[in-house]
Amino acid sequence: MLRPGPRQAPRRNRGIGRGRQTAAAYALLAPSLVGVLGFLLAPVVIVLVLSLFDWKLLATPEFVGLANYRKLFTDSDVWHSMLVTLYYVVICVPGTTILSLLLALLVDRKLRGMKYFRALLVIPWMATPVALGLVWSWIFDPGRGALNQFLGVFGIDGPAWLSSPVLAMPSVAAVHIWQFAGYNMLFFLAGLQNIPRTLREASSLDGASPVAHFFTITLPLLRPTMLFVLITNVIGSFQAFDTIFVMTEGGPGDSTEVATYLIYDEAFKKFDFGYASTISVLLFAVVLVATISQFAYFERRTTYEVSG
Amino acid sequence: MKLRVFTYAVLVIGCVFAVFPYLLTVLTAFKGPGQLSETMPWEPGLPPSTAAFDRLFGSGFGGYLVNTALVTAGITLGQVVFAILAAYAFARLSFPGRDALFWVYLSTLMVPPVVTMIPLYLMMQKLGLVDTWAGLMLPTMLGTPYAIFLLRQFFRGIPADLEDAARIDGAGRVRTLVSIVLPLSKPILVTVTTLAVVANWNSFLWPLIVTSSEDKRLLSVGIALFKGEIGVDYNAVMAGSLIALAPLLVLFVVFQRFIVRSVAVTGLK
């Protein structure tokens, strides 16, 4: 996926010295170097250091070694929030991926007006998460909300979606899926359009059914797209915050208290920067492992399945 | 034949789902007091009323709107200009450390923003920039790895001969970039700019943390706090949401063709 291209031979060294080219390059890079190294990479290092300190607002930071980590492993709130986060990821990632793939298969057909359908389906991605979170809170409102009013038309007495510990999480996750299915559809659409049409003709001449064609030819060839969609979605769902902040504030109880929300709470409500940093390190480690293992899995599978 | 009818049917249902919350926002925002409890949420209220907007702007919402527009414009301008410079260096110049540095840039895509939030806050505190415009804008405006990556890919696809010709004619690096490379890069520039505008306009967590005074409040924070302050005044909340959504929708309608195509093409290379 995101891979620097093959090393390019320096091409235009005529007339410009290597030293001057290096100076020019670093001059062009200067602002982004400050941004990337200073505001993206350095904070990762700092958060690692902070996790070794006991640092409450206004108090002097005190080095405590791994004490925060010892606390982490026995803190049921943390493990609860990691499980809640995993639950969220486990609903959102397959939900978004499968729905967006199905939508892509539909809009890949050459029919009239297809470009309008494509555009309409991408609209949820534009949503200001906070604004749409509030709109959805109202749709889920048990009394006057659109969903229960709609169910009422059929004589169904709808539940209190967001104030039920069981239903709150799936409801919030549904909003996530709603928001990103159309956007991810675009990537699958690009992947589908890169598959040569002749393969379809060949397999239908061989008498393969569309379903067999999908599983033996389309799906294996979509592997790179699949990896991209899965990885961006896993990273994205682990970081969910805005919608949850306005829809449930982590509740009811702590049923939607995802890790990001817990970190926000510890750092900016309880002002316990040291411990919040420790939870951040844990979250980062989990995201890293999830991302790397997807790469590994796909690398291993791709080699033999495409030929088989 | 049957398959075509089925396809259309599913797509129509899908699109209704996609657009419904937006429709609901518009309908609710323009409902008058009392109409909300009398009508179904999706029924238009008659006659349309702007009372919710009056309440909204009566409580400082206009200021949030101006703030958001200015901050979005400022951050986006910085992000795009600095990304162009960096991407050009990565695409066209050869210098020691180039590939390693590019890897570093890309790897930062994996860092969850919430992880960097605490250090960034403490940095801004040390610099005395908490609750200032600079503190709000600086951390995001300098380096955007994703934009740099997309632009670099595109720049590399532009034939180098064009630039060589200009350089033989005596044009300098900057001149070549501005008059040869950028005009050829319009589609990707539109895409990168749009992605940046959407992200900056919608950004929530950092503004929530780093600003506290009301004269620096942004739309998304304003709306989130509104829920608590106004309680269950759904009309006003929807009116606010509508104002937050409208500019992005306009942007999307204008650039829809570019975005749909180039997100699909460039995201994967």
Side-chain angles (χ1 to χ4, degrees):
Chain A
M1 189 192 48
L2 309 176
R3 185 170 291 161
R7 189 178 289 268
Q8 275 185 329
R11 242 176 309 148
R12 268 159 285 106
N13 273 350
R14 296 161 287 173
I16 185 167
R18 221 182 138 67
R20 277 188 59 195
Q21 203 171 138
T22 303
Y26 279 97
L28 291 173
L29 284 173
S32 68
L33 274 175
V34 174
V36 170
L37 299 184
F39 296 138
L40 285 169
L41 207 62
V44 175
V45 179
I46 296 174
V47 100
L48 278 168
V49 175
L50 284 175
S51 71
L52 305 174
F53 281 83
D54 180 23
W55 189 346
K56 308 242 169 33
L57 188 77
L58 302 178
T60 1
E62 186 195 341
F63 183 81
V64 291
L66 296 175
N68 282 330
Y69 288 91
R70 276 194 290 275
K71 182 178 167 195
L72 193 72
F73 281 101
T74 53
D75 187 341
S76 60
D77 283 353
V78 170
W79 295 106
H80 174 80
S81 83
M82 290 314 290
L83 284 179
V84 168
T85 310
L86 273 180
Y87 181 36
Y88 187 76
V89 173
V90 163
I91 306 177
C92 288
V93 173
T96 311
T97 309
I98 293 170
L99 188 59
S100 56
L101 179 55
L102 290 177
L103 289 173
L105 288 168
L106 286 174
V107 297
D108 185 38
R109 305 195 60 208
K110 288 206 167 23
L111 294 175
R112 294 188 79 175
M114 212 40 103
K115 63 177 179 183
Y116 299 107
F117 285 114
R118 285 176 197 163
L120 283 173
L121 289 168
V122 184
I123 278 186
W125 162 71
M126 283 258 137
T128 301
V130 173
L132 257 297
L134 288 172
V135 178
W136 277 97
S137 306
W138 186 41
I139 293 177
F140 285 125
D141 186 286
R144 292 184 292 172
L147 182 55
N148 281 358
Q149 297 263 11
F150 179 74
L151 291 175
V153 173
F154 303 97
I156 300 169
D157 203 7
W161 301 93
L162 295 177
S163 44
S164 145
V166 179
L167 292 173
M169 194 44 128
S171 305
V172 175
V175 176
H176 180 107
I177 296 172
W178 171 83
Q179 199 177 354
F180 290 105
Y183 177 65
N184 285 296
M185 170 195 83
L186 292 178
F187 297 107
F188 279 123
L189 182 62
L192 287 171
Q193 297 192 337
N194 282 337
I195 298 175
R197 296 271 152 182
T198 46
L199 281 178
R200 168 173 290 279
E201 287 151 24
S203 81
S204 75
L205 279 180
D206 288 347
S209 73
V211 176
H213 175 85
F214 175 76
F215 282 104
T216 56
I217 297 184
T218 311
L219 209 50
L221 288 175
L222 277 180
R223 234 166 245 285
T225 320
M226 189 68 86
L227 176 66
F228 176 82
V229 168
L230 281 177
I231 285 190
T232 49
N233 272 289
V234 166
I235 294 178
S237 338
F238 266 114
Q239 300 173 8
F241 182 81
D242 304 7
T243 329
I244 292 172
F245 185 90
V246 293
M247 286 183 72
T248 63
E249 294 175 50
D254 52 8
S255 59
T256 58
E257 180 149 303
V258 288
T260 50
Y261 201 86
L262 184 69
I263 294 169
Y264 168 79
D265 232 37
E266 289 286 337
F268 296 101
K269 288 228 173 105
K270 298 182 189 158
F271 298 106
D272 192 343
F273 290 119
Y275 192 50
S277 299
T278 315
I279 309 172
S280 305
V281 173
L282 177 67
L283 176 68
F284 186 35
V286 171
V287 173
L288 213 57
V289 168
T291 309
I292 291 170
S293 48
Q294 285 175 86
F295 266 117
Y297 178 80
F298 272 79
E299 293 270 303
R300 197 161 46 81
R301 301 255 308 190
T302 315
T303 32
Y304 57 87
E305 284 223 350
V306 169
S307 55
Chain B
M1 208 63 216
K2 258 187 195 159
L3 190 60
R4 181 187 300 178
V5 175
F6 174 77
T7 307
Y8 276 127
V10 175
L11 284 177
V12 167
I13 295 171
C15 289
V16 169
F17 261 110
V19 177
F20 177 68
Y22 285 86
L23 273 178
L24 203 61
T25 314
V26 176
L27 290 176
T28 316
F30 287 103
K31 274 182 187 175
Q35 288 179 351
L36 196 61
S37 44
E38 288 161 21
T39 54
M40 289 294 213
W42 53 83
E43 268 179 68
L46 282 172
S49 154
T50 54
F53 291 90
D54 295 339
R55 287 203 296 284
L56 201 63
F57 281 96
S59 56
F61 206 72
Y64 307 163
L65 187 62
V66 174
N67 290 349
T68 310
L70 292 177
V71 167
T72 301
I75 297 183
T76 305
L77 186 71
Q79 284 180 336
V80 172
V81 169
F82 297 141
I84 288 172
L85 299 181
Y88 186 74
F90 279 126
R92 280 289 189 261
L93 298 175
S94 114
F95 54 95
R98 185 185 66 184
D99 291 355
L101 209 52
F102 192 66
W103 268 109
V104 170
Y105 274 45
L106 283 187
S107 66
T108 56
L109 285 172
M110 260 196 300
V111 181
V114 73
V115 170
T116 58
M117 212 50 55
I118 298 165
L120 278 181
Y121 180 80
L122 295 172
M123 276 181 186
M124 292 303 132
Q125 211 175 34
K126 273 267 183 297
L127 297 168
L129 295 178
V130 168
D131 203 25
T132 64
W133 295 111
L136 186 59
M137 297 168 72
L138 214 54
T140 36
M141 85 185 283
L142 293 174
T144 40
Y146 194 63
I148 293 170
F149 173 72
L150 291 181
L151 286 170
R152 169 187 174 267
Q153 298 301 98
F154 197 91
F155 290 167
R156 280 161 60 109
I158 296 174
D161 296 346
L162 286 174
E163 283 174 69
D164 286 340
R167 292 177 61 80
I168 288 166
D169 289 345
R173 285 252 175 246
V174 176
R175 188 70 199 285
T176 327
L177 174 62
V178 172
S179 55
I180 308 278
V181 177
L182 292 188
L184 290 171
S185 310
K186 262 185 209 145
I188 193 71
L189 287 173
V190 168
T191 303
V192 165
T193 310
T194 311
L195 290 175
V197 168
V198 172
N200 295 325
W201 183 271
N202 288 342
S203 87
F204 174 66
L205 184 55
W206 182 242
L208 175 74
I209 289 168
V210 83
T211 59
S212 50
S213 55
E214 214 192 310
D215 66 317
K216 294 184 198 69
R217 191 169 287 167
L218 300 188
L219 269 186
S220 53
V221 178
I223 294 172
L225 297 181
F226 242 83
K227 193 194 174 191
E229 282 166 14
I230 303 197
V232 279
D233 185 349
Y234 278 123
N235 297 78
V237 166
M238 294 301 140
S241 299
L242 182 61
I243 293 169
L245 295 169
L248 297 183
L249 273 185
V250 172
L251 192 76
F252 184 73
V253 170
V254 174
F255 292 122
Q256 185 254 113
R257 272 180 321 127
F258 275 123
I259 301 166
V260 171
R261 202 179 42 206
S262 54
V263 165
V265 175
T266 48
L268 289 170
K269 291 268 170 75

